[in-house]
Amino acid sequence: MSFVSAQNIFQSYDGRPILERVNLEVDEGEFISIVGASGCGKSTFLRLLLAQEQPSRGAIRIGGAVPAAEPGPDRGVVFQKYSVFPHMSVRENIIAGESFRRPLGRFFGAAKKAARARADATLERIGLGHVADAYPATLSGGMQQRLAIGQALAAKPRILLLDEPFGALDPGTRLAMHDFLTELRAAAPMTVFMVTHDLAEGFKLGDRVLVFDKPRWDPHDPGAYGATITYDFDARDDGIPFQTIKEVANVPDQT
Amino acid sequence: MRFINRRPGLALGVFLAALPFVAVLVAYIIGSQMRLAENPSDKLLPAPATIAQTAERLFTTPDKRSGRILLWHDTAASLIRLALGVGISAVLAVIFGLLIGLQPHMRAAFSGFVSVVSMIPPLAMLPILFIVFGLGETSKVVLIVVGILPFMIRDLSQRVIEIPREMIVKAETLGASSGVIALRVALPQLLPRLIQALRLSLGPAWLFLIAAEAIAADQGLGYRIFLVRRYLAMDVILTYVAWITALAFAMDLMLRWLSRRAFPWSEAAL
Ligand SMILES: Nc1ncnc2c1ncn2[C@@H]1O[C@H](COP(=O)(O)OP(=O)(O)O)[C@@H](O)[C@H]1O
Ligand SMILES: [Mg+2]
């Protein structure tokens, strides 16, 4: 069985179907980009992966475990906004990645010192060492998102979920964030799901690009059907799939 | 240029800010002089000089019978009641605000109840409080709590609900328990709001304090004002009113300063 497995997922709000028949198998270490029209349910799918919501039908398993009932430290997340804690300094935000699972949410004594040292090492690595004592509001958007990713990774999640993490950044900062994310993955392989509305970004960063769309469409009632994964592109090797494609004769299209 | 886009310069701004104060003062002086010219023993609008003399006496001269300076004594008594009432309300409001804002069962159980209770006019409860708690300190403190707590709980729980869901979910993904989320995510973000709520509640708190003191007390600023009312001692009343205003203003300034000092992160966003 694959690492992350979503089987026959349906989700509807107030009887309105948003997602239908979503099936997905993901191997450990894969980077999955998710693209699709605005409002088609990408964030909904991410919330399901996060276990922030339960699907109306179907189940999502990570590592074969029972489906989670609520978000936990095995799933890290970075949203477009509100991803760091505004009342904590940059360093405290990183420490929170480890300390929030403690009984009082804090380290004390020697453990506190050690966590502080680890946080400072992390901050150096992600290029935020010089602003360790600043509050997030004083940081640029790119630095805030870098901090958010660093904080999520400090908790050592099994999968990392990114919902349009660079959506609010200017193009230059966005490119720098791509390099940042690529470096992090080179240093420590991790399974990532990233929603983006930038197709090029999806292909650049992803191993696979999933397209969410409505396979059925009723012109008289646009909300009648939900979206599903309509394409599952191989995006390795700069998205030029014929380099590795295996031709399988007499088998209908898998997607 | 449009009327709404015209702005005063610095000098004009200061002048305009001072204008209402000066106007009220001048109107008072004129009225006082007119009445005193007609009847030198008029007590309704004492001359500013008389008020100043009275104020000096009140602030510095001990009472003949008790040997204490009554104004300071009244101030201490009132401030203790106020601090107790406001302090108890603040602590309870934070606890209930967090519970109602974070926990769906608590919200289901209490948010409707608090809304209804906050509609009860607190002064209508005063006789009940006197009957239940007696005429001592307790009933006065409880009136302040009853008067401002429902509003503070509603305000603070709403602030907790307004914390972006993303932030709560983020804390969950870091492994935080409900308690850690309340303690390390919600509470610190609630404290600046608490100070705002306190600033808004101080006015009503004074109102309830003075009302309770007026009806049943043997010391306190409200007690004194209503006591000397019988002798039409306007000079004393005006001094006390000015003093209460100064106290309230100073508290508001202090809270504003505290908010800026204690929560640099919330100021940084501005
Ligand atoms: N909690 C909710 N309750 C009701 N409708 C929702 C909820 N969350 C999302 N929706 C609706 O579901 C649809 C998909 O939303 P979303 O997953 O956020 O889309 P996107 O692909 O842009 O991320 C939208 O029409 C949105 O209005
Ligand atoms: Mg979205």
PDB file of all heavy atoms in Angstrom, chain A residues 50 71-73 75 77 79 82-83 86-87 100-101 103 105 135 148 151, chain B residues 164-167 169-170 172-176 180 184-185 188-189 265 269:
ATOM      1  N   LEU A  50      -5.644  17.054   5.905  1.00  0.00           N
ATOM      2  CA  LEU A  50      -5.218  17.552   7.208  1.00  0.00           C
ATOM      3  C   LEU A  50      -6.034  16.947   8.344  1.00  0.00           C
ATOM      4  O   LEU A  50      -5.655  17.037   9.503  1.00  0.00           O
ATOM      5  CB  LEU A  50      -5.375  19.077   7.200  1.00  0.00           C
ATOM      6  CG  LEU A  50      -4.793  19.910   8.328  1.00  0.00           C
ATOM      7  CD1 LEU A  50      -3.307  19.668   8.438  1.00  0.00           C
ATOM      8  CD2 LEU A  50      -5.065  21.376   8.064  1.00  0.00           C
ATOM      9  N   PRO A  71      -6.622  17.237  13.273  1.00  0.00           N
ATOM     10  CA  PRO A  71      -5.233  17.504  12.900  1.00  0.00           C
ATOM     11  C   PRO A  71      -4.276  17.129  14.015  1.00  0.00           C
ATOM     12  O   PRO A  71      -4.612  17.247  15.188  1.00  0.00           O
ATOM     13  CB  PRO A  71      -5.218  19.026  12.672  1.00  0.00           C
ATOM     14  CG  PRO A  71      -6.633  19.401  12.421  1.00  0.00           C
ATOM     15  CD  PRO A  71      -7.455  18.443  13.240  1.00  0.00           C
ATOM     16  N   GLY A  72      -3.104  16.660  13.650  1.00  0.00           N
ATOM     17  CA  GLY A  72      -2.113  16.277  14.651  1.00  0.00           C
ATOM     18  C   GLY A  72      -0.716  16.514  14.117  1.00  0.00           C
ATOM     19  O   GLY A  72      -0.552  16.963  12.975  1.00  0.00           O
ATOM     20  N   PRO A  73       0.293  16.203  14.939  1.00  0.00           N
ATOM     21  CA  PRO A  73       1.664  16.523  14.558  1.00  0.00           C
ATOM     22  C   PRO A  73       2.209  15.695  13.394  1.00  0.00           C
ATOM     23  O   PRO A  73       3.319  15.965  12.938  1.00  0.00           O
ATOM     24  CB  PRO A  73       2.452  16.260  15.845  1.00  0.00           C
ATOM     25  CG  PRO A  73       1.590  15.392  16.666  1.00  0.00           C
ATOM     26  CD  PRO A  73       0.181  15.670  16.293  1.00  0.00           C
ATOM     27  N   ARG A  75       0.867  15.788  10.511  1.00  0.00           N
ATOM     28  CA  ARG A  75       0.587  16.586   9.323  1.00  0.00           C
ATOM     29  C   ARG A  75       0.960  18.036   9.589  1.00  0.00           C
ATOM     30  O   ARG A  75       0.389  18.661  10.484  1.00  0.00           O
ATOM     31  CB  ARG A  75      -0.918  16.537   8.993  1.00  0.00           C
ATOM     32  CG  ARG A  75      -1.420  15.166   8.610  1.00  0.00           C
ATOM     33  CD  ARG A  75      -2.755  14.890   9.270  1.00  0.00           C
ATOM     34  NE  ARG A  75      -2.865  13.463   9.582  1.00  0.00           N
ATOM     35  CZ  ARG A  75      -3.717  12.627   8.989  1.00  0.00           C
ATOM     36  NH1 ARG A  75      -4.563  13.082   8.100  1.00  0.00           N
ATOM     37  NH2 ARG A  75      -3.722  11.367   9.298  1.00  0.00           N
ATOM     38  N   VAL A  77       1.259  22.043   8.200  1.00  0.00           N
ATOM     39  CA  VAL A  77       0.499  22.842   7.253  1.00  0.00           C
ATOM     40  C   VAL A  77       1.032  24.274   7.211  1.00  0.00           C
ATOM     41  O   VAL A  77       1.530  24.797   8.204  1.00  0.00           O
ATOM     42  CB  VAL A  77      -1.007  22.845   7.610  1.00  0.00           C
ATOM     43  CG1 VAL A  77      -1.264  23.616   8.883  1.00  0.00           C
ATOM     44  CG2 VAL A  77      -1.834  23.407   6.455  1.00  0.00           C
ATOM     45  N   PHE A  79      -0.578  27.826   5.542  1.00  0.00           N
ATOM     46  CA  PHE A  79      -1.621  28.502   4.776  1.00  0.00           C
ATOM     47  C   PHE A  79      -1.041  29.753   4.123  1.00  0.00           C
ATOM     48  O   PHE A  79       0.079  30.154   4.392  1.00  0.00           O
ATOM     49  CB  PHE A  79      -2.786  28.891   5.687  1.00  0.00           C
ATOM     50  CG  PHE A  79      -3.474  27.725   6.320  1.00  0.00           C
ATOM     51  CD1 PHE A  79      -3.289  27.426   7.665  1.00  0.00           C
ATOM     52  CD2 PHE A  79      -4.319  26.916   5.578  1.00  0.00           C
ATOM     53  CE1 PHE A  79      -3.937  26.348   8.257  1.00  0.00           C
ATOM     54  CE2 PHE A  79      -4.967  25.840   6.166  1.00  0.00           C
ATOM     55  CZ  PHE A  79      -4.775  25.556   7.498  1.00  0.00           C
ATOM     56  N   TYR A  82      -1.946  33.901   8.105  1.00  0.00           N
ATOM     57  CA  TYR A  82      -2.128  33.463   9.494  1.00  0.00           C
ATOM     58  C   TYR A  82      -1.363  32.180   9.804  1.00  0.00           C
ATOM     59  O   TYR A  82      -1.847  31.336  10.549  1.00  0.00           O
ATOM     60  CB  TYR A  82      -3.604  33.229   9.789  1.00  0.00           C
ATOM     61  CG  TYR A  82      -4.509  34.351   9.402  1.00  0.00           C
ATOM     62  CD1 TYR A  82      -5.509  34.179   8.470  1.00  0.00           C
ATOM     63  CD2 TYR A  82      -4.334  35.605   9.972  1.00  0.00           C
ATOM     64  CE1 TYR A  82      -6.342  35.218   8.114  1.00  0.00           C
ATOM     65  CE2 TYR A  82      -5.156  36.651   9.614  1.00  0.00           C
ATOM     66  CZ  TYR A  82      -6.161  36.446   8.698  1.00  0.00           C
ATOM     67  OH  TYR A  82      -6.985  37.463   8.346  1.00  0.00           O
ATOM     68  N   SER A  83      -0.176  31.996   9.207  1.00  0.00           N
ATOM     69  CA  SER A  83       0.522  30.739   9.406  1.00  0.00           C
ATOM     70  C   SER A  83       1.489  30.779  10.566  1.00  0.00           C
ATOM     71  O   SER A  83       1.985  29.751  10.989  1.00  0.00           O
ATOM     72  CB  SER A  83       1.289  30.355   8.144  1.00  0.00           C
ATOM     73  OG  SER A  83       0.381  29.940   7.175  1.00  0.00           O
ATOM     74  N   PRO A  86       1.439  35.694  15.731  1.00  0.00           N
ATOM     75  CA  PRO A  86       1.895  37.089  15.724  1.00  0.00           C
ATOM     76  C   PRO A  86       2.446  37.547  17.064  1.00  0.00           C
ATOM     77  O   PRO A  86       3.231  38.487  17.108  1.00  0.00           O
ATOM     78  CB  PRO A  86       0.629  37.876  15.361  1.00  0.00           C
ATOM     79  CG  PRO A  86      -0.508  36.997  15.751  1.00  0.00           C
ATOM     80  CD  PRO A  86      -0.018  35.588  15.558  1.00  0.00           C
ATOM     81  N   HIS A  87       2.040  36.870  18.160  1.00  0.00           N
ATOM     82  CA  HIS A  87       2.458  37.347  19.475  1.00  0.00           C
ATOM     83  C   HIS A  87       3.765  36.720  19.932  1.00  0.00           C
ATOM     84  O   HIS A  87       4.208  36.983  21.038  1.00  0.00           O
ATOM     85  CB  HIS A  87       1.363  37.037  20.501  1.00  0.00           C
ATOM     86  CG  HIS A  87       1.009  35.588  20.561  1.00  0.00           C
ATOM     87  ND1 HIS A  87       0.261  34.972  19.597  1.00  0.00           N
ATOM     88  CD2 HIS A  87       1.333  34.624  21.455  1.00  0.00           C
ATOM     89  CE1 HIS A  87       0.115  33.699  19.910  1.00  0.00           C
ATOM     90  NE2 HIS A  87       0.759  33.454  21.024  1.00  0.00           N
ATOM     91  N   PHE A 100       4.948  22.926  21.566  1.00  0.00           N
ATOM     92  CA  PHE A 100       3.493  22.930  21.726  1.00  0.00           C
ATOM     93  C   PHE A 100       2.949  21.568  22.135  1.00  0.00           C
ATOM     94  O   PHE A 100       1.849  21.471  22.656  1.00  0.00           O
ATOM     95  CB  PHE A 100       2.819  23.416  20.436  1.00  0.00           C
ATOM     96  CG  PHE A 100       2.550  24.901  20.457  1.00  0.00           C
ATOM     97  CD1 PHE A 100       3.304  25.732  21.252  1.00  0.00           C
ATOM     98  CD2 PHE A 100       1.544  25.454  19.681  1.00  0.00           C
ATOM     99  CE1 PHE A 100       3.072  27.093  21.280  1.00  0.00           C
ATOM    100  CE2 PHE A 100       1.301  26.819  19.711  1.00  0.00           C
ATOM    101  CZ  PHE A 100       2.065  27.640  20.507  1.00  0.00           C
ATOM    102  N   ARG A 101       3.701  20.500  21.881  1.00  0.00           N
ATOM    103  CA  ARG A 101       3.192  19.186  22.291  1.00  0.00           C
ATOM    104  C   ARG A 101       3.504  18.875  23.746  1.00  0.00           C
ATOM    105  O   ARG A 101       3.052  17.878  24.269  1.00  0.00           O
ATOM    106  CB  ARG A 101       3.744  18.103  21.367  1.00  0.00           C
ATOM    107  CG  ARG A 101       5.225  17.881  21.504  1.00  0.00           C
ATOM    108  CD  ARG A 101       5.735  17.025  20.373  1.00  0.00           C
ATOM    109  NE  ARG A 101       5.619  17.713  19.104  1.00  0.00           N
ATOM    110  CZ  ARG A 101       5.931  17.175  17.936  1.00  0.00           C
ATOM    111  NH1 ARG A 101       6.325  15.924  17.877  1.00  0.00           N
ATOM    112  NH2 ARG A 101       5.836  17.872  16.831  1.00  0.00           N
ATOM    113  N   PRO A 103       3.191  19.448  27.884  1.00  0.00           N
ATOM    114  CA  PRO A 103       1.974  19.699  28.680  1.00  0.00           C
ATOM    115  C   PRO A 103       1.576  21.167  28.774  1.00  0.00           C
ATOM    116  O   PRO A 103       0.418  21.493  28.636  1.00  0.00           O
ATOM    117  CB  PRO A 103       2.345  19.130  30.053  1.00  0.00           C
ATOM    118  CG  PRO A 103       3.344  18.062  29.752  1.00  0.00           C
ATOM    119  CD  PRO A 103       4.120  18.527  28.555  1.00  0.00           C
ATOM    120  N   GLY A 105       2.954  23.528  26.824  1.00  0.00           N
ATOM    121  CA  GLY A 105       3.337  24.205  25.593  1.00  0.00           C
ATOM    122  C   GLY A 105       4.691  24.879  25.665  1.00  0.00           C
ATOM    123  O   GLY A 105       5.022  25.694  24.811  1.00  0.00           O
ATOM    124  N   TYR A 135       9.250  40.439  15.778  1.00  0.00           N
ATOM    125  CA  TYR A 135       7.909  39.866  15.691  1.00  0.00           C
ATOM    126  C   TYR A 135       7.523  39.704  14.221  1.00  0.00           C
ATOM    127  O   TYR A 135       7.960  40.486  13.368  1.00  0.00           O
ATOM    128  CB  TYR A 135       6.893  40.751  16.412  1.00  0.00           C
ATOM    129  CG  TYR A 135       7.012  40.654  17.905  1.00  0.00           C
ATOM    130  CD1 TYR A 135       7.591  41.675  18.649  1.00  0.00           C
ATOM    131  CD2 TYR A 135       6.576  39.526  18.569  1.00  0.00           C
ATOM    132  CE1 TYR A 135       7.727  41.565  20.022  1.00  0.00           C
ATOM    133  CE2 TYR A 135       6.705  39.403  19.939  1.00  0.00           C
ATOM    134  CZ  TYR A 135       7.286  40.426  20.656  1.00  0.00           C
ATOM    135  OH  TYR A 135       7.426  40.306  22.018  1.00  0.00           O
ATOM    136  N   ALA A 148       7.018  30.210   8.512  1.00  0.00           N
ATOM    137  CA  ALA A 148       5.906  29.264   8.678  1.00  0.00           C
ATOM    138  C   ALA A 148       6.335  27.855   8.270  1.00  0.00           C
ATOM    139  O   ALA A 148       6.014  26.872   8.942  1.00  0.00           O
ATOM    140  CB  ALA A 148       4.708  29.715   7.849  1.00  0.00           C
ATOM    141  N   GLN A 151       8.726  26.510  10.877  1.00  0.00           N
ATOM    142  CA  GLN A 151       7.987  26.118  12.080  1.00  0.00           C
ATOM    143  C   GLN A 151       7.285  24.779  11.882  1.00  0.00           C
ATOM    144  O   GLN A 151       7.349  23.897  12.734  1.00  0.00           O
ATOM    145  CB  GLN A 151       6.960  27.205  12.392  1.00  0.00           C
ATOM    146  CG  GLN A 151       6.133  26.932  13.625  1.00  0.00           C
ATOM    147  CD  GLN A 151       4.978  27.904  13.728  1.00  0.00           C
ATOM    148  OE1 GLN A 151       4.201  28.055  12.792  1.00  0.00           O
ATOM    149  NE2 GLN A 151       4.881  28.582  14.856  1.00  0.00           N
TER     150      GLN A 151
ATOM    151  N   PRO B 164      -8.218  33.675  13.650  1.00  0.00           N
ATOM    152  CA  PRO B 164      -8.362  32.903  12.413  1.00  0.00           C
ATOM    153  C   PRO B 164      -8.253  31.401  12.675  1.00  0.00           C
ATOM    154  O   PRO B 164      -7.383  30.953  13.414  1.00  0.00           O
ATOM    155  CB  PRO B 164      -7.181  33.387  11.564  1.00  0.00           C
ATOM    156  CG  PRO B 164      -6.835  34.714  12.108  1.00  0.00           C
ATOM    157  CD  PRO B 164      -7.160  34.685  13.563  1.00  0.00           C
ATOM    158  N   ARG B 165      -9.163  30.659  12.067  1.00  0.00           N
ATOM    159  CA  ARG B 165      -9.168  29.206  12.216  1.00  0.00           C
ATOM    160  C   ARG B 165      -7.806  28.618  11.836  1.00  0.00           C
ATOM    161  O   ARG B 165      -7.333  27.650  12.423  1.00  0.00           O
ATOM    162  CB  ARG B 165     -10.264  28.632  11.324  1.00  0.00           C
ATOM    163  CG  ARG B 165     -10.594  27.179  11.571  1.00  0.00           C
ATOM    164  CD  ARG B 165     -11.369  27.001  12.865  1.00  0.00           C
ATOM    165  NE  ARG B 165     -10.968  25.757  13.511  1.00  0.00           N
ATOM    166  CZ  ARG B 165     -11.263  25.439  14.762  1.00  0.00           C
ATOM    167  NH1 ARG B 165     -11.958  26.252  15.510  1.00  0.00           N
ATOM    168  NH2 ARG B 165     -10.853  24.305  15.275  1.00  0.00           N
ATOM    169  N   GLU B 166      -7.182  29.222  10.821  1.00  0.00           N
ATOM    170  CA  GLU B 166      -5.879  28.735  10.362  1.00  0.00           C
ATOM    171  C   GLU B 166      -4.877  28.656  11.512  1.00  0.00           C
ATOM    172  O   GLU B 166      -4.084  27.719  11.596  1.00  0.00           O
ATOM    173  CB  GLU B 166      -5.307  29.658   9.275  1.00  0.00           C
ATOM    174  CG  GLU B 166      -5.974  29.538   7.926  1.00  0.00           C
ATOM    175  CD  GLU B 166      -7.087  30.552   7.743  1.00  0.00           C
ATOM    176  OE1 GLU B 166      -7.737  30.920   8.756  1.00  0.00           O
ATOM    177  OE2 GLU B 166      -7.328  30.956   6.604  1.00  0.00           O
ATOM    178  N   MET B 167      -4.945  29.668  12.385  1.00  0.00           N
ATOM    179  CA  MET B 167      -3.965  29.714  13.460  1.00  0.00           C
ATOM    180  C   MET B 167      -4.205  28.591  14.472  1.00  0.00           C
ATOM    181  O   MET B 167      -3.262  27.980  14.974  1.00  0.00           O
ATOM    182  CB  MET B 167      -4.072  31.063  14.142  1.00  0.00           C
ATOM    183  CG  MET B 167      -2.747  31.681  14.450  1.00  0.00           C
ATOM    184  SD  MET B 167      -3.001  33.279  15.157  1.00  0.00           S
ATOM    185  CE  MET B 167      -2.990  34.304  13.713  1.00  0.00           C
ATOM    186  N   VAL B 169      -5.709  25.734  13.772  1.00  0.00           N
ATOM    187  CA  VAL B 169      -5.357  24.477  13.099  1.00  0.00           C
ATOM    188  C   VAL B 169      -3.846  24.306  13.085  1.00  0.00           C
ATOM    189  O   VAL B 169      -3.320  23.218  13.313  1.00  0.00           O
ATOM    190  CB  VAL B 169      -5.932  24.457  11.670  1.00  0.00           C
ATOM    191  CG1 VAL B 169      -5.361  23.300  10.883  1.00  0.00           C
ATOM    192  CG2 VAL B 169      -7.448  24.365  11.717  1.00  0.00           C
ATOM    193  N   LYS B 170      -3.141  25.403  12.836  1.00  0.00           N
ATOM    194  CA  LYS B 170      -1.680  25.341  12.837  1.00  0.00           C
ATOM    195  C   LYS B 170      -1.169  24.826  14.188  1.00  0.00           C
ATOM    196  O   LYS B 170      -0.310  23.946  14.241  1.00  0.00           O
ATOM    197  CB  LYS B 170      -1.119  26.738  12.561  1.00  0.00           C
ATOM    198  CG  LYS B 170       0.375  26.836  12.632  1.00  0.00           C
ATOM    199  CD  LYS B 170       0.988  26.452  11.323  1.00  0.00           C
ATOM    200  CE  LYS B 170       2.493  26.378  11.441  1.00  0.00           C
ATOM    201  NZ  LYS B 170       3.161  26.460  10.153  1.00  0.00           N
ATOM    202  N   GLU B 172      -2.782  22.986  16.257  1.00  0.00           N
ATOM    203  CA  GLU B 172      -3.131  21.560  16.359  1.00  0.00           C
ATOM    204  C   GLU B 172      -2.090  20.711  15.648  1.00  0.00           C
ATOM    205  O   GLU B 172      -1.699  19.641  16.131  1.00  0.00           O
ATOM    206  CB  GLU B 172      -4.503  21.302  15.738  1.00  0.00           C
ATOM    207  CG  GLU B 172      -5.665  21.851  16.547  1.00  0.00           C
ATOM    208  CD  GLU B 172      -6.989  21.560  15.859  1.00  0.00           C
ATOM    209  OE1 GLU B 172      -7.267  20.381  15.601  1.00  0.00           O
ATOM    210  OE2 GLU B 172      -7.719  22.514  15.550  1.00  0.00           O
ATOM    211  N   THR B 173      -1.639  21.164  14.471  1.00  0.00           N
ATOM    212  CA  THR B 173      -0.658  20.367  13.725  1.00  0.00           C
ATOM    213  C   THR B 173       0.704  20.368  14.411  1.00  0.00           C
ATOM    214  O   THR B 173       1.572  19.581  14.038  1.00  0.00           O
ATOM    215  CB  THR B 173      -0.470  20.879  12.283  1.00  0.00           C
ATOM    216  OG1 THR B 173       0.073  22.198  12.330  1.00  0.00           O
ATOM    217  CG2 THR B 173      -1.775  20.888  11.527  1.00  0.00           C
ATOM    218  N   LEU B 174       0.906  21.281  15.366  1.00  0.00           N
ATOM    219  CA  LEU B 174       2.146  21.234  16.138  1.00  0.00           C
ATOM    220  C   LEU B 174       1.964  20.366  17.378  1.00  0.00           C
ATOM    221  O   LEU B 174       2.834  20.319  18.242  1.00  0.00           O
ATOM    222  CB  LEU B 174       2.589  22.643  16.531  1.00  0.00           C
ATOM    223  CG  LEU B 174       2.825  23.610  15.364  1.00  0.00           C
ATOM    224  CD1 LEU B 174       3.275  24.964  15.865  1.00  0.00           C
ATOM    225  CD2 LEU B 174       3.842  23.060  14.383  1.00  0.00           C
ATOM    226  N   GLY B 175       0.805  19.724  17.490  1.00  0.00           N
ATOM    227  CA  GLY B 175       0.574  18.802  18.595  1.00  0.00           C
ATOM    228  C   GLY B 175       0.019  19.447  19.839  1.00  0.00           C
ATOM    229  O   GLY B 175       0.023  18.844  20.910  1.00  0.00           O
ATOM    230  N   ALA B 176      -0.463  20.683  19.744  1.00  0.00           N
ATOM    231  CA  ALA B 176      -0.949  21.386  20.931  1.00  0.00           C
ATOM    232  C   ALA B 176      -2.273  20.794  21.408  1.00  0.00           C
ATOM    233  O   ALA B 176      -3.157  20.527  20.609  1.00  0.00           O
ATOM    234  CB  ALA B 176      -1.124  22.873  20.635  1.00  0.00           C
ATOM    235  N   VAL B 180      -3.110  23.894  25.778  1.00  0.00           N
ATOM    236  CA  VAL B 180      -1.975  24.645  25.237  1.00  0.00           C
ATOM    237  C   VAL B 180      -2.477  25.685  24.235  1.00  0.00           C
ATOM    238  O   VAL B 180      -1.980  26.817  24.196  1.00  0.00           O
ATOM    239  CB  VAL B 180      -0.949  23.691  24.581  1.00  0.00           C
ATOM    240  CG1 VAL B 180       0.068  24.471  23.779  1.00  0.00           C
ATOM    241  CG2 VAL B 180      -0.261  22.862  25.651  1.00  0.00           C
ATOM    242  N   ARG B 184      -1.397  29.284  25.090  1.00  0.00           N
ATOM    243  CA  ARG B 184      -0.259  29.811  24.330  1.00  0.00           C
ATOM    244  C   ARG B 184      -0.676  30.509  23.033  1.00  0.00           C
ATOM    245  O   ARG B 184       0.099  31.258  22.469  1.00  0.00           O
ATOM    246  CB  ARG B 184       0.704  28.662  23.994  1.00  0.00           C
ATOM    247  CG  ARG B 184       1.359  28.039  25.210  1.00  0.00           C
ATOM    248  CD  ARG B 184       2.555  28.836  25.680  1.00  0.00           C
ATOM    249  NE  ARG B 184       3.749  28.450  24.960  1.00  0.00           N
ATOM    250  CZ  ARG B 184       4.633  29.326  24.472  1.00  0.00           C
ATOM    251  NH1 ARG B 184       4.424  30.599  24.607  1.00  0.00           N
ATOM    252  NH2 ARG B 184       5.706  28.906  23.850  1.00  0.00           N
ATOM    253  N   VAL B 185      -1.885  30.239  22.556  1.00  0.00           N
ATOM    254  CA  VAL B 185      -2.327  30.877  21.303  1.00  0.00           C
ATOM    255  C   VAL B 185      -3.424  31.899  21.581  1.00  0.00           C
ATOM    256  O   VAL B 185      -3.303  33.074  21.214  1.00  0.00           O
ATOM    257  CB  VAL B 185      -2.830  29.827  20.283  1.00  0.00           C
ATOM    258  CG1 VAL B 185      -3.258  30.516  18.997  1.00  0.00           C
ATOM    259  CG2 VAL B 185      -1.742  28.802  19.996  1.00  0.00           C
ATOM    260  N   PRO B 188      -2.686  34.883  24.913  1.00  0.00           N
ATOM    261  CA  PRO B 188      -1.837  36.043  24.633  1.00  0.00           C
ATOM    262  C   PRO B 188      -2.462  37.004  23.622  1.00  0.00           C
ATOM    263  O   PRO B 188      -2.259  38.210  23.714  1.00  0.00           O
ATOM    264  CB  PRO B 188      -0.556  35.425  24.045  1.00  0.00           C
ATOM    265  CG  PRO B 188      -0.598  33.996  24.410  1.00  0.00           C
ATOM    266  CD  PRO B 188      -2.029  33.615  24.566  1.00  0.00           C
ATOM    267  N   GLN B 189      -3.234  36.462  22.687  1.00  0.00           N
ATOM    268  CA  GLN B 189      -3.851  37.355  21.710  1.00  0.00           C
ATOM    269  C   GLN B 189      -5.083  38.034  22.287  1.00  0.00           C
ATOM    270  O   GLN B 189      -5.570  39.026  21.742  1.00  0.00           O
ATOM    271  CB  GLN B 189      -4.233  36.568  20.451  1.00  0.00           C
ATOM    272  CG  GLN B 189      -3.018  35.924  19.825  1.00  0.00           C
ATOM    273  CD  GLN B 189      -3.253  35.524  18.402  1.00  0.00           C
ATOM    274  OE1 GLN B 189      -3.761  36.291  17.598  1.00  0.00           O
ATOM    275  NE2 GLN B 189      -2.903  34.303  18.066  1.00  0.00           N
ATOM    276  N   TRP B 265       3.953  43.422  19.952  1.00  0.00           N
ATOM    277  CA  TRP B 265       3.661  42.705  18.715  1.00  0.00           C
ATOM    278  C   TRP B 265       2.367  43.175  18.072  1.00  0.00           C
ATOM    279  O   TRP B 265       2.239  43.198  16.851  1.00  0.00           O
ATOM    280  CB  TRP B 265       3.589  41.205  18.979  1.00  0.00           C
ATOM    281  CG  TRP B 265       2.602  40.816  20.028  1.00  0.00           C
ATOM    282  CD1 TRP B 265       2.851  40.673  21.366  1.00  0.00           C
ATOM    283  CD2 TRP B 265       1.226  40.551  19.847  1.00  0.00           C
ATOM    284  NE1 TRP B 265       1.701  40.330  22.021  1.00  0.00           N
ATOM    285  CE2 TRP B 265       0.682  40.245  21.106  1.00  0.00           C
ATOM    286  CE3 TRP B 265       0.385  40.534  18.726  1.00  0.00           C
ATOM    287  CZ2 TRP B 265      -0.656  39.933  21.281  1.00  0.00           C
ATOM    288  CZ3 TRP B 265      -0.937  40.213  18.907  1.00  0.00           C
ATOM    289  CH2 TRP B 265      -1.450  39.922  20.171  1.00  0.00           C
ATOM    290  N   ALA B 269       2.000  45.659  13.985  1.00  0.00           N
ATOM    291  CA  ALA B 269       1.251  45.447  12.758  1.00  0.00           C
ATOM    292  C   ALA B 269       0.731  46.754  12.194  1.00  0.00           C
ATOM    293  O   ALA B 269       0.370  46.814  11.014  1.00  0.00           O
ATOM    294  CB  ALA B 269       0.083  44.491  13.022  1.00  0.00           C
TER     295      ALA B 269
END
